[in-house]
Amino acid sequence: MITIEHLHKVYVVSRQTQCTALVDFNATIADGELVAVTGPSGAGKSTLLHILAGIDRATSGTVRLDQLNISKMGDRRLASVRNTVTSIVLQHFALLDTETVFENVLLPLYFSRGGGKEKKRRVMQTLETLHIAPLAKKRVNQLSGGQMQRVAIARALVTQPKYLFADEPTGALDSKTSGEIMQVLQQLSRQGLTVVIVTHNMEIAQQCRRVLEIRDGMLVRDARQPAADV
């Protein structure tokens, strides 16, 4: 379970200027939920996602992933959490274009324990799960947008995280491919992975079990969708 309590985030732009991204944000997200975070540009959606994933820190407040209080962790322990407990899919894929699909998905495992044979097995197993194993030897710059998004998700999953965070995972895709990616995320949620996505697209949000709407850094709506709709 993700527990968020009194979360504040303030960016210091200069001595005279500060930007408040989150204001007293409180929420809990149960294991296995598929949650969409929506709201206008600049509302604080990506900031929230990055804090939950452990790649940014709150100014104050608490984030717990089960019993792990990541708000209190030092850099080394937080890095370990990012490599074992959380994983994030960035908005523009952030893949290495001239490397192969296999090499891109293998990348997070360079920081993990285990032998090379086991790491290669995990990469291929993850590619098979996302139905892109035949693309293993292809370079990323030879792929379609939908294929690149699947590779980005595979790279996030290869560390076997409990929590998956995705920033606009369908933002650069056409409607058909977006639907395919949402089916992947729904299936992962049904398998017990907690999935939180940021999206501007309300059609995508409606395919999630729950929608958290943020405005001006504050949670203004927490709506659960009927199970039949997702």
Side-chain angles (χ1 to χ4, degrees):
M1 175 180 286
I2 301 173
T3 305
I4 309 162
E5 296 177 333
H6 305 298
L7 206 64
H8 290 258
K9 177 63 177 180
V10 178
Y11 293 101
V12 178
V13 180
S14 67
R15 290 183 179 181
Q16 293 79 27
T17 308
Q18 294 184 345
C19 176
T20 300
L22 293 171
V23 181
D24 196 28
F25 192 98
N26 297 271
T28 58
I29 298 172
D31 292 343
E33 277 199 290
L34 174 56
V35 178
V37 180
T38 67
S41 296
K45 304 183 300 299
S46 293
T47 295
L48 174 66
L49 203 74
H50 292 169
I51 292 172
L52 297 183
I55 62 176
D56 195 1
R57 291 182 182 274
T59 303
S60 62
T62 302
V63 174
R64 289 187 177 86
L65 307 177
D66 293 330
Q67 301 305 312
L68 296 174
N69 184 349
I70 66 172
S71 310
K72 301 293 185 181
M73 289 183 179
D75 291 344
R76 179 173 294 183
R77 192 171 177 208
L78 194 58
S80 176
V81 167
R82 290 196 301 268
N83 202 41
T84 56
V85 181
T86 72
S87 203
I88 190 166
V89 179
L90 298 171
Q91 185 171 357
H92 299 293
F93 311 139
L95 300 172
L96 301 176
D97 288 349
T98 58
E99 300 296 333
T100 66
V101 167
F102 184 93
E103 290 162 338
N104 270 273
V105 177
L106 178 65
L107 185 61
L109 296 183
Y110 283 123
F111 308 102
S112 301
R113 295 179 180 178
K117 187 177 292 187
E118 169 61 16
K119 291 178 180 180
K120 290 177 180 178
R121 185 196 66 80
R122 282 173 62 178
V123 170
M124 290 309 301
Q125 183 181 56
T126 306
L127 294 179
E128 288 167 5
T129 298
L130 291 170
H131 308 295
I132 51 174
L135 302 177
K137 295 182 179 180
K138 275 201 167 187
R139 297 191 184 279
V140 166
N141 57 18
Q142 298 174 310
L143 304 180
S144 68
Q147 290 170 334
M148 284 192 283
Q149 188 60 285
R150 285 178 184 264
V151 174
I153 294 172
R155 186 181 58 186
L157 292 178
V158 75
T159 58
Q160 300 175 340
K162 184 171 182 181
Y163 304 98
L164 178 67
F165 303 99
D167 196 351
E168 295 284 359
T170 64
L173 306 177
D174 59 54
S175 57
K176 179 178 181 295
T177 308
S178 295
E180 293 171 354
I181 294 301
M182 284 306 300
Q183 287 177 4
V184 170
L185 297 177
Q186 288 167 351
Q187 181 62 32
L188 292 170
S189 174
R190 286 192 289 269
Q191 292 170 354
L193 185 67
T194 304
V195 182
V196 181
I197 71 171
V198 160
T199 183
H200 284 94
N201 188 329
M202 289 311 298
E203 290 184 7
I204 294 298
Q206 288 166 7
Q207 295 177 56
C208 297
R209 184 60 55 84
R210 185 174 169 200
V211 178
L212 303 179
E213 182 180 351
I214 303 178
R215 289 185 180 274
D216 299 322
M218 295 178 283
L219 179 64
V220 297
R221 186 169 70 100
D222 183 349
R224 295 183 183 276
Q225 313 273 39
D229 290 348
V230 295

